Amino acid sequence: MALTKNERRLRIKNRVRKIVSGTEARPRLSVFRSNKEIYAQIVDDVTGKTISAASSRDKDISSAKGTKMEIAALVGKSVAEKALKAGVETISFDRGGYLYHGRVKSLAEGAREAGLKF
């Protein structure tokens, strides 16, 4: 039987999460993408705490006009700025089982432009 798209993504996500883990020195940037919105959070997996988070539903970002790609870049910049304020400079990127393409790539590039290092 063929897997659905979501089942396939969850398998990939679990395979990646076995390897990628966030520590205090190098937390994990986790991405979730829905059809309309995109969410990103920086997580320290050792303590189980979210250091910073941003989404396309935030007030400053949702008021911006543009394509979903442009909004994803704004989310990446926003989460990076919040992380830098919290003292995080280097992260490990968790694409959440999605292909590194389109909105996920745009979010990552926006975070890099704002000063995060992966």
Side-chain angles (χ1 to χ4, degrees), residues 71-90:
I71 290 173
L74 290 176
V75 171
K77 288 177 186 172
S78 176
V79 76
E81 289 166 3
K82 291 176 183 177
L84 291 172
K85 285 181 186 173
V88 174
E89 292 182 7
T90 59

Side-chain angles (χ1 to χ4, degrees), residues 60-104:
D60 55 338
I61 297 172
S62 65
S63 62
K65 299 291 181 195
T67 63
K68 290 193 274 188
M69 292 273 291
E70 293 164 350
I71 290 173
L74 290 176
V75 171
K77 288 177 186 172
S78 176
V79 76
E81 289 166 3
K82 291 176 183 177
L84 291 172
K85 285 181 186 173
V88 174
E89 292 182 7
T90 59
I91 57 157
S92 55
F93 188 68
D94 176 13
R95 57 191 173 86
Y98 303 106
L99 294 177
Y100 187 79
H101 181 268
R103 288 190 283 160
V104 175

Side-chain angles (χ1 to χ4, degrees), residues 1-47:
M1 288 176 50
L3 296 174
T4 65
K5 275 187 176 183
N6 199 38
E7 288 171 336
R8 180 179 173 275
R9 184 187 76 80
L10 291 175
R11 275 194 183 183
I12 295 169
K13 179 181 177 180
N14 290 332
R15 189 167 59 229
V16 169
R17 285 288 289 124
K18 280 191 243 177
I19 301 166
V20 177
S21 180
T23 63
E24 189 176 337
R26 190 178 170 109
R28 172 174 59 94
L29 173 60
S30 175
V31 175
F32 176 74
R33 174 177 65 89
S34 73
N35 286 339
K36 283 187 175 181
E37 313 290 345
I38 191 158
Y39 307 84
Q41 60 183 355
I42 297 184
V43 182
D44 177 5
D45 289 316
V46 175
T47 60

